[in-house]
């Protein structure tokens, strides 16, 4: 009888150890999988921190996660360098090479320097142009060949969400060598000379609410269901 009780307690202890081990191991396994998905969609990431929480952890074996928080520095894709990128999810479903989930917080920081590098890499026709960011305003200045003339051009505009998670520069005012010209006339001429970047190319769920332009930097923010924005 005592021997049976001993075996029972031994079995209970073994089960508890296994459960505890799974609670510790499975979130780490899910973090590695999420990390692989992020790295697959980027050119490089200087630092990537991922935290997974799910209870019970056994549901991870079914590809389900309660919450995921991702924070990175120096994430680059398609020539665009994100100085800081923080995102939070809940109700995540892991798939082969991807995942689905509700994006409840997002905060991305991109500097003026990073945007200018992106312009040089992806828009060689605008290699003489430079982006300047000041609070609530974007300027694109450079030299444009207009028929046989080379004119100094400055465009004042905004960065706006145009479709999905694509962010485009929308010119609003134009100045050619201190001569104001009809915005409609120049917009037709410039329609193929703007620039944009598409965060959907990261191939992870993102929900953008607003774009904030500061001096020398821009922030892309998603607030989700009124949760506090992601912190760096």
């Amino acid at each position: 009888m005592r021997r049976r009780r001993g075996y029972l307690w031994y079995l209970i202890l073994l089960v508890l150890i296994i459960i505890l081990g799974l609670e510790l191991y499975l979130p780490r396994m899910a973090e590695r999988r999420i990390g692989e998905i992020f790295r697959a969609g980027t050119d490089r990431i200087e630092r990537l921190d991922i935290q997974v929480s799910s209870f019970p952890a056994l549901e991870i074996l079914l590809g389900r996660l309660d919450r995921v928080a991702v924070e990175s520095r120096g994430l680059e894709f398609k020539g665009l360098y994100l100085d800081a990128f923080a995102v939070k999810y809940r109700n995540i479903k892991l798939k082969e090479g991807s995942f689905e989930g509700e994006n409840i917080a997002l905060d991305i920081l991109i500097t003026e320097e990073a945007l200018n590098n992106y312009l040089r890499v992806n828009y060689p026709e605008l290699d003489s142009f430079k982006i300047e960011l000041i609070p609530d305003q974007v300027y694109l200045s450079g030299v444009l060949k207009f028929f046989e003339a080379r004119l100094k051009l400055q465009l004042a505009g905004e960065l706006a969400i145009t479709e999905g998670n694509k962010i485009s520069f929308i010119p609003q005012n134009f100045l050619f060598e201190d001569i104001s010209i009809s915005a409609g006339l120049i917009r037709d001429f410039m329609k193929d000379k703007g620039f944009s970047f598409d965060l959907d190319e990261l191939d992870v769920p993102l929900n953008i609410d607003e774009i904030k332009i500061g001096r020398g930097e821009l922030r892309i923010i998603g607030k989700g269901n009124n949760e506090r924005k992601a912190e760096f």
Side-chain angles (χ1 to χ4, degrees), residues 38-45 74-80 202:
F38 269 86
R39 289 189 172 90
T42 60
D43 300 323
R44 68 185 176 108
I45 302 178
L75 183 156
E76 184 175 353
F77 74 103
K78 305 294 184 180
L80 180 63
L202 278 171

Side-chain angles (χ1 to χ4, degrees), residues 10 34 37 61 69 81 104 118 124 135 146 155 160 165 179 187 201 211 218 231:
Y10 176 79
I34 296 290
I37 292 168
L61 293 175
Y81 184 89
I104 58 174
Y118 175 79
F146 191 82
L155 298 89
N165 288 315
I179 301 174
R187 185 172 288 110
E201 292 181 344
I211 300 170
L218 70 92
E231 298 290 345

Side-chain angles (χ1 to χ4, degrees), residues 12-25 57-58:
I12 293 173
L13 180 60
L14 181 61
V15 170
L16 290 175
I17 291 174
I18 292 173
I19 291 174
L20 179 59
L22 290 174
E23 290 291 331
L24 295 173
Y25 171 75
L58 284 173

Side-chain angles (χ1 to χ4, degrees), residues 79-102:
L80 180 63
Y81 184 89
L82 311 184
D83 286 71
F85 176 94
V87 62
K88 294 179 181 179
Y89 298 100
R90 67 183 173 196
N91 302 326
I92 304 97
K93 181 182 291 186
L94 288 173
K95 296 188 173 183
E96 185 65 32
S98 65
F99 68 92
E100 296 176 351
E102 183 183 353

Side-chain angles (χ1 to χ4, degrees), residues 82-188:
L82 311 184
D83 286 71
F85 176 94
V87 62
K88 294 179 181 179
Y89 298 100
R90 67 183 173 196
N91 302 326
I92 304 97
K93 181 182 291 186
L94 288 173
K95 296 188 173 183
E96 185 65 32
S98 65
F99 68 92
E100 296 176 351
E102 183 183 353
N103 178 201
I104 58 174
L106 174 68
D107 199 349
I108 299 173
L109 173 66
I110 305 175
T111 65
E112 180 180 286
E113 179 183 3
L115 279 179
N116 279 303
N117 289 335
Y118 175 79
L119 205 67
R120 285 191 290 271
V121 170
N122 292 278
Y123 294 88
E125 69 275 16
L126 297 175
D127 61 350
S128 66
F129 282 78
K130 184 177 181 181
I131 300 167
E132 181 182 2
L133 302 177
I134 64 172
D136 301 319
Q137 191 69 66
V138 183
Y139 287 100
L140 182 62
S141 305
V143 176
L144 182 69
K145 187 175 181 180
F146 191 82
F147 297 104
E148 297 301 319
R150 291 176 62 84
L151 303 175
K152 291 182 179 179
L153 168 67
Q154 183 182 79
L155 298 89
E158 64 175 358
L159 288 169
I161 306 165
T162 52
E163 54 181 295
N165 288 315
K166 185 176 183 178
I167 296 174
S168 303
F169 173 67
I170 308 297
Q172 296 174 326
N173 298 303
F174 302 82
L175 186 66
F176 268 102
E177 293 189 331
D178 300 324
I179 301 174
S180 296
I181 297 179
S182 165
L185 175 65
I186 304 304
R187 185 172 288 110
D188 289 340

